[in-house]
Amino acid sequence: MNPLLSLSADLPDFAAIDSTQVEPAIRELIAGVERGLDAFEAAPQATWAGTLERIHTLVEPLRLAWGVVGHLMAVRNEPALRAAHAARQSDVVKIWVRLGQSRALFTALNAIRDGAEWARLDSAQQRILSSEIRDMQLAGVGLNGAEKERYQAISLELSELGTRFSNQLLDAGKAWHLDLTTLDEVAGLPATLLAQTAAMYQAAGITSRGEQGEQGAQKAPGAGPWRLTLDVPIYGPFMEHSQRRDLREKLYRAFITRAAAAPHDNLPVLERILALRQELARLLGKANHAEVSLATKMAGTLPAVDQLLNQLRTAAKPKAATELAELTAFARQSSGDAGMQLALWDMAFWAERLREDRYAYTDEALRPY
């Protein structure tokens, strides 16, 4: 049994899903959607049950399965899964575009909205129906000929670029590490983080330098050396607890510049995404991608967004300035450096010290090793 073919609303059994199951499952699910859509377009039924419920039942298995694959790409990304995802990605995009541009489906939805059944629908059903019509308009259902083909080509490329961006960001993070060897370098770090980074160092030693694991196994948990990475479970606690300001700066700069240089440079990817979004917006009769995005959001217009941001800025900035002054004063008093100016890599560290001082909490897991 392929678990991707029997998903439900319950939490998937991720441990049972293997990368070899992705291609055959997605291929089968897409074929099912295509057959179902062919049947609907041949004999559409302009009713809630005959259109919305029927289409939802048809596409839900594919939506669930592809969502699970996407989640695994984010948390268990490895070459075999990447290859399987890439092999079926364009087919998934094509079937979503076909659904979004189905004239028979669009006509049926409009017939429900303009017919007698509309008054019998509750407010939630009416909103769902209206949203489906709007989404199909944004999917290019009104396009014809070359414009319709271009919409599909842009959608395919944007999907591929999005995956490439994520993969390069992940690869850039994996490619970076910093090994620490002295107690001074790990001053202030909690025992849990020391144990985790020591284990990572030992594992890296076994795989990359051929060191014997036996020697590492004899060490107490948390005994160095220690390997730092840009993974959030490492990066976050290190920035909160490391007493070495120079090392915090090094990690911070590495973290915010991930995928900013070869061989994982995402700048060309971003530039291409922006260009394609602009082209897609114009195909849909919008001035820019922001207008496309806001078509589905409560704000509605760019001026409304600007107004909201200005209101938030006006309300939040004085409070932020007060908190920064408070944190700076605390850091200066605690460190003995009366002229300290907090940098971005200092914020998490001193905010954590302030919380400890203010609330006097203690946690065995947070005590230095």
Side-chain angles (χ1 to χ4, degrees):
M1 293 291 293
N2 190 323
L4 289 171
L5 295 175
S6 57
L7 296 171
S8 67
D10 297 329
L11 187 67
D13 184 5
F14 288 106
I17 300 172
D18 183 80
S19 58
T20 60
Q21 300 164 336
V22 172
E23 284 197 65
I26 299 303
R27 186 187 302 114
E28 181 174 336
L29 291 170
I30 289 175
V33 174
E34 289 177 335
R35 290 191 300 268
L37 189 55
D38 287 341
F40 175 85
E41 290 178 333
Q45 296 176 331
T47 65
W48 176 268
T51 298
L52 285 110
E53 290 185 1
R54 181 178 177 183
I55 294 299
H56 173 79
T57 301
L58 177 64
V59 304
E60 188 65 3
L62 176 60
R63 187 193 68 79
L64 285 173
W66 194 243
V68 167
V69 174
H71 175 73
L72 291 174
M73 283 285 289
V75 301
R76 202 175 74 192
N77 195 302
E78 43 87 17
L81 182 61
R82 282 191 186 186
H85 180 272
R88 296 273 71 87
Q89 184 175 22
S90 62
D91 294 332
V92 172
V93 174
K94 287 177 182 177
I95 194 64
W96 292 143
V97 171
R98 182 188 168 187
L99 277 162
Q101 295 183 342
S102 171
R103 294 291 178 86
L105 176 56
F106 188 66
T107 299
L109 292 174
N110 279 279
I112 298 171
R113 183 191 60 187
D114 299 334
E117 188 176 13
W118 173 262
R120 296 193 294 271
L121 300 179
D122 60 35
S123 58
Q125 290 174 315
Q126 290 179 350
R127 179 172 175 78
I128 290 171
L129 178 58
S130 298
S131 296
E132 290 291 333
I133 293 173
R134 177 206 62 205
D135 290 347
M136 291 192 72
Q137 291 170 333
L138 294 175
V141 69
L143 301 177
N144 295 291
E147 289 185 338
K148 186 175 182 178
E149 293 178 2
R150 183 57 186 156
Y151 183 99
Q152 183 180 93
I154 292 174
S155 297
L156 289 170
E157 189 174 355
L158 282 173
S159 179
E160 189 276 330
L161 288 169
T163 300
R164 189 192 309 174
F165 180 93
S166 298
N167 286 342
Q168 291 196 155
L169 187 64
L170 179 65
D171 291 343
K174 286 183 175 181
W176 190 96
H177 69 268
L178 178 65
D179 292 335
L180 307 179
T181 59
T182 67
L183 291 175
D184 175 68
E185 291 175 317
V186 296
L189 299 186
T192 50
L193 182 58
L194 289 169
Q196 187 177 4
T197 52
M200 294 180 69
Y201 181 89
Q202 293 172 24
I206 293 171
T207 58
S208 65
R209 291 187 294 276
E211 295 178 359
Q212 296 298 318
E214 202 173 308
Q215 180 182 358
Q218 295 172 350
K219 295 181 179 180
W226 306 268
R227 170 158 291 193
L228 301 179
T229 69
L230 298 180
D231 294 334
V232 172
I234 302 294
Y235 174 81
F238 186 88
M239 297 301 290
E240 288 182 347
H241 296 286
S242 173
Q243 296 176 8
R244 285 286 299 269
R245 192 185 194 195
D246 58 327
L247 295 180
R248 296 201 308 267
E249 179 181 359
K250 183 174 291 188
L251 253 70
Y252 175 82
R253 292 187 180 277
F255 189 82
I256 65 170
T257 57
R258 290 168 299 159
H264 309 297
D265 188 1
N266 265 337
L267 180 58
V269 178
L270 285 172
E271 290 175 339
R272 182 61 178 163
I273 288 174
L274 291 174
L276 289 175
R277 284 180 171 181
Q278 180 65 26
E279 184 180 355
L280 196 65
R282 288 175 177 168
L283 282 175
L284 296 173
K286 306 290 186 181
N288 48 55
H289 176 72
E291 289 189 0
V292 177
S293 178
L294 288 174
T296 63
K297 295 179 173 64
M298 186 180 295
T301 65
L302 291 175
V305 173
D306 288 335
Q307 181 181 4
L308 175 61
L309 292 176
N310 287 331
Q311 289 174 344
L312 290 173
R313 186 182 299 109
T314 301
K317 190 173 181 179
K319 178 63 175 177
T322 299
E323 291 181 351
L324 177 59
E326 179 184 13
L327 187 62
T328 300
F330 174 81
R332 288 175 176 175
Q333 180 181 7
S334 300
S335 66
D337 182 358
M340 176 184 289
Q341 295 295 323
L342 295 183
L344 292 172
W345 46 87
D346 297 322
M347 298 301 180
F349 176 81
W350 286 112
E352 188 65 17
R353 304 291 78 74
L354 180 59
R355 281 191 290 267
E356 292 171 350
D357 180 78
R358 177 172 293 171
Y359 303 113
Y361 66 81
T362 58
D363 187 334
E364 189 67 30
L366 295 180
R367 293 182 180 178
Y369 175 76

